């Protein structure tokens, strides 16, 4: 089932352009030129993500954002011609997840929509769909406490290191590509020239006291990715 995207913008050419690019990516788009009918639609059928213009004829986008946040957690992206830093801060403070100014690159907008949907899906998945902790040969990691222990001693991990290790543990026995690890931890599209995953894996191995030649936990499958067997 395709994700439902709400677009609220009274500039028809802009709304049509956003709709075209999102539909090309398989999204279902619901367009509105004003806030009130958009709110009525959300009440009847909440979307998976909303794109809101700040300047609307019946209600400013900030107020619309705040109203939506009273009952809904789906990602909100502010799309506006206003570039002042205070406007950006206001939108983010009221609950917006991202902010992009006009004129914009439709491909960038589409990429940001995908990023926000990935993050929302990852962090708002029902608890019963995933284990809350793993214990792999003395390596214990808990999503509930966000802590990691190695043979009973706590290992201090950064949020990114924790996300990488958790993703590997949750897929124990499977080779996880670097692209998947990067997109799971950073929520952004992987670039071929990016060696960020490799450097974070190296730091993780140091913290887990892994020998470089024969690691016990995180193993490299050359040309493919990483695995915890």
């Amino acid at each position: 089932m395709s994700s439902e995207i709400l677009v609220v913008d009274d500039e028809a050419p802009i709304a049509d352009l956003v709709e075209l690019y999102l539909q090309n990516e398989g999204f279902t788009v619901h367009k509105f030129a004003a806030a009130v009918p958009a709110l009525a639609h959300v009440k009847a059928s909440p979307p998976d993500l909303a794109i809101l213009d700040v300047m609307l004829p019946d209600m400013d986008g900030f107020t619309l954002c705040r109203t939506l946040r009273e009952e809904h957690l789906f990602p909100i992206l502010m799309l506006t011609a206003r570039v002042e830093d205070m406007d950006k801060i206001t939108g983010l403070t009221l609950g917006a997840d991202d902010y992009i100014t006009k004129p914009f690159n439709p491909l960038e907008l589409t990429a940001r929509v995908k990023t926000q949907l990935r993050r929302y899906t990852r962090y708002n998945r029902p608890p019963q769909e995933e284990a809350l902790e793993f214990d792999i040969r003395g390596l214990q990691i808990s999503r509930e406490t966000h802590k990691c222990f190695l043979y009973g001693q706590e290992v201090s991990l950064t949020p990114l290191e924790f996300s990488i290790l958790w993703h590997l543990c949750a897929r124990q026995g499977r080779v996880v590509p670097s692209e998947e690890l990067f997109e799971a931890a950073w929520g952004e599209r992987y670039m071929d020239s990016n060696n960020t995953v490799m450097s974070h894996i190296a730091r993780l191995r140091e913290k887990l006291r892994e020998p470089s030649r024969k690691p016990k936990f995180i193993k490299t499958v050359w040309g493919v990715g990483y695995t915890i067997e």
Side-chain angles (χ1 to χ4, degrees), residues 92-186:
L92 296 173
T93 301
L94 292 174
D97 297 278
D98 202 356
Y99 200 109
I100 189 168
T101 57
K102 304 174 184 178
F104 60 90
N105 184 328
L107 294 177
E108 179 185 356
L109 174 64
T110 302
R112 293 197 187 191
V113 166
K114 291 180 178 179
T115 294
Q116 292 301 329
L117 287 172
R118 280 197 301 268
R119 288 175 176 169
Y120 180 71
T121 300
R122 187 166 74 246
Y123 291 121
N124 292 277
R125 190 174 292 146
Q128 63 269 24
E129 290 188 10
E130 284 192 356
L132 292 178
E133 63 180 38
F134 294 98
D135 188 341
I136 302 174
R137 301 187 305 279
L139 173 64
Q140 298 174 306
I141 184 169
S142 170
R143 193 170 192 175
E144 195 169 33
T145 63
H146 216 269
K147 289 185 178 181
C148 176
F149 293 87
L150 180 63
Y151 308 128
Q153 294 187 338
E154 185 171 357
V155 180
S156 179
L157 301 179
T158 67
L160 283 173
E161 290 167 349
F162 183 93
S163 294
I164 292 172
L165 185 58
W166 176 268
H167 197 79
L168 287 170
C169 289
R171 289 149 184 79
Q172 181 183 4
R174 176 189 140 195
V175 180
V176 181
S178 296
E179 294 92 333
E180 180 180 328
L181 275 178
F182 184 88
E183 292 181 3
W186 279 265

Side-chain angles (χ1 to χ4, degrees), residues 29-146:
V29 179
H30 302 279
K31 293 186 301 180
F32 295 91
V36 172
L39 284 171
H41 175 80
V42 171
K43 185 176 181 179
S45 179
D48 297 294
L49 179 143
I51 300 174
L52 312 179
D53 186 22
V54 168
M55 305 299 291
L56 296 171
D58 56 349
M59 180 189 302
D60 68 79
F62 295 140
T63 302
L64 176 56
C65 176
R66 183 175 62 235
T67 303
L68 290 173
R69 274 290 171 259
E70 291 175 355
E71 297 184 8
H72 302 282
L73 295 175
F74 55 74
I76 296 176
L77 193 155
M78 305 298 292
L79 180 62
T80 178
R82 297 169 64 168
V83 298
E84 292 83 356
D85 288 338
M86 187 52 65
D87 287 336
K88 297 179 182 180
I89 294 171
T90 299
L92 296 173
T93 301
L94 292 174
D97 297 278
D98 202 356
Y99 200 109
I100 189 168
T101 57
K102 304 174 184 178
F104 60 90
N105 184 328
L107 294 177
E108 179 185 356
L109 174 64
T110 302
R112 293 197 187 191
V113 166
K114 291 180 178 179
T115 294
Q116 292 301 329
L117 287 172
R118 280 197 301 268
R119 288 175 176 169
Y120 180 71
T121 300
R122 187 166 74 246
Y123 291 121
N124 292 277
R125 190 174 292 146
Q128 63 269 24
E129 290 188 10
E130 284 192 356
L132 292 178
E133 63 180 38
F134 294 98
D135 188 341
I136 302 174
R137 301 187 305 279
L139 173 64
Q140 298 174 306
I141 184 169
S142 170
R143 193 170 192 175
E144 195 169 33
T145 63
H146 216 269

